[in-house]
Each structure stands twice: as C-alpha cells, then as structure tokens.
Amino acid sequence: MGSGTSADEFDEWYSNMRRSAALDDIHQRHLGLPPRLLSSSLLTWDGIAEVVEALRLKPEARLLDLACGRGGYGLEIASRTGARLIGIDFAPEAIDQARLLTRQFGSVAAEFRVGEFADTGLPDASVDAIVCVDAIQFQAGAEAFEEMRRVLRPGGRVALTTWDAVEHADERVSARIRAVHAEAGLTEAGFTNVVVRERPEWRAAERAMWEEAAALDPGDDPALHSLHREGVQVLAGFDLRRRILATATAGS
Ligand SMILES: C[S@@+](CC[C@H](N)C(=O)[O-])C[C@H]1O[C@@H](n2cnc3c(N)ncnc32)[C@H](O)[C@@H]1O
C-alpha cells in the first residue's frame, strides 16, 4: 500500500492517516486487527501468527521491523514473543507515530529510528530476526537484501510479506510489483532455506478491503481519498499478482 516513493510523500500519507479514524476502522475490520495495532498495510491477524512462527524468536531476541511504518506489527510480534524491537522507516512522521503507539503495548522493549532499506545504520550481525511487512516492493533491489543479510546474525531468520507478479513480463502489473523477486534477492544476498509461499487466505481479506475502498465516498478525508484511489487501481489488476510470504535463514 501507499502510492508514494519518497520519504516526503510517505510523511504526507502518514500525516493524513493520523487524522482518519475511518481509515483505521476499515483496516481493523477487514484484517481482523485490534484497535491498538495501527496497520498501514494488509497483513491479517492470522497472518501475524504465520510470521511469528517463521521468525522463531526467543524471549529477549533482537527483532528488526524494517520499513515499520506506524510500528503496530513489530510491537505486536514483540509483545507475543518477548523480543526486543527496533523499528526503522525512512518517513519521520511514521517513526513519530510508532513512538507514540509504543505506549499502547505496555512493557514491550522498543525503539524506533529513521533509516533506509539500504542503510539502516545498524551494526553488522546486530539483530536475531527481521520482519518486513508489505514494504520490500518499494525497494526490491539487491542493496536492500544485502543490508538485511549484513545486520542479521548468522542463523537469524527473515520474514517478508509482499506481492509479486504472476508473470514478471506482464506490463499490466505495476513496475513496482514486477520488480519483486524475493527468492532470487534473498538467495543472491547469501540467505539459505529460502521459501516463498503464496497466501490465498490473505488475498481474500485484501480483496474485500479494496472492494470497500473502491466503493466508498471519501468525502473530505485525504486518507480515504488515497485508499479509494488505490483500491480502484489494485482491483483492476488483482488477479495478475500473488500475495506471498518469503522466509529465509541468514547463512554463516
Ligand atoms: C505499506 S507501508 C507498510 C508499513 C508497515 N510495515 C505496516 O505494515 O504497517 C510501506 C512502508 O515502507 C516505507 N518505506 C518505503 N521505502 C522505504 C525506504 N527506501 N527505506 C525505508 N522505508 C521505506 C514507507 O515509509 C512505509 O512506511
């Protein structure tokens, strides 16, 4: 989700969200999320459990939520597992909101910083696991996968949720989604046990959410306007893309 590409565009997107309870209500109903989990994407409540299983986190493990947005998914995973969370996103407004949201998660140990996919600012081998929810499509080049491999300790796990094209050459699919080659990106960066699975159940919730978005009257709510536009666009090519969960282990 999100049609921008620069940090400024995402900042504006997040500022608009801050004022739109209607937007959060739509996410929560379709994705089955509790109100404290401020999503700006499409991972469902059941999907979070699959991601948690894939990450194999131990209490006190260091978890990086890369392109964390408002932080809800990382905070939820940390609160389920006892992991210590670091969230990174290039949009300062998202990081501000994530810091505020931390208060909703009681004793979870969390910090949030501004950083880039290709330049997180974290030391080598400093995290035990990485989660990246619905964001790698914004920078699916080798640099992002190499940065993940660099900051992850050997044996650490990564779980990415995203979309890719049924046919990579199909120009009806957006260039951003056609650029996602999760299996090759992870393998070439030195990950092992790379598994990319389609998640049709997640697609059903996603389709229902976009149908509501495409049908709604956004009125004077800019966050609903952008959801509405994206809904119309995504539904037009919905069957041309796959919903995927990619998991892997950092090689030694
Ligand atoms: C669809 S949102 C998902 C946010 C969050 N993971 C969630 O699921 O709620 C995509 C996120 O990617 C971030 N992003 C896009 N390009 C980035 C980059 N080059 N470096 C860091 N973050 C980036 C955006 O700021 C945005 O927060």
Side-chain angles (χ1 to χ4, degrees), residues 1 10 14 40-41 67-69 73 89-90 115-117 133-135:
M1 289 182 79
F10 273 104
Y14 281 114
S40 36
S41 65
C68 61
Y73 288 108
D89 198 285
F90 77 167
E116 286 267 350
F117 262 120
V133 177
D134 296 352

Side-chain angles (χ1 to χ4, degrees), residues 17-84:
M17 271 183 213
R18 208 193 260 268
R19 293 183 287 274
S20 182
L23 180 89
D24 289 331
D25 173 67
I26 291 172
H27 278 91
Q28 285 153 18
R29 274 190 288 107
H30 287 285
L31 305 178
L33 304 176
R36 73 173 184 173
L37 203 162
L38 293 185
S39 167
S40 36
S41 65
L42 286 144
L43 183 62
T44 62
W45 185 249
D46 291 346
I48 298 173
E50 292 181 63
V51 168
V52 167
E53 194 185 334
L55 291 172
R56 300 177 197 155
L57 285 161
K58 298 202 171 84
E60 302 285 304
R62 192 122 168 102
L63 170 67
L64 168 61
D65 182 355
L66 191 53
C68 61
R70 299 188 288 174
Y73 288 108
L75 287 164
E76 176 63 30
I77 294 169
S79 86
R80 290 187 195 190
T81 59
R84 290 171 297 146

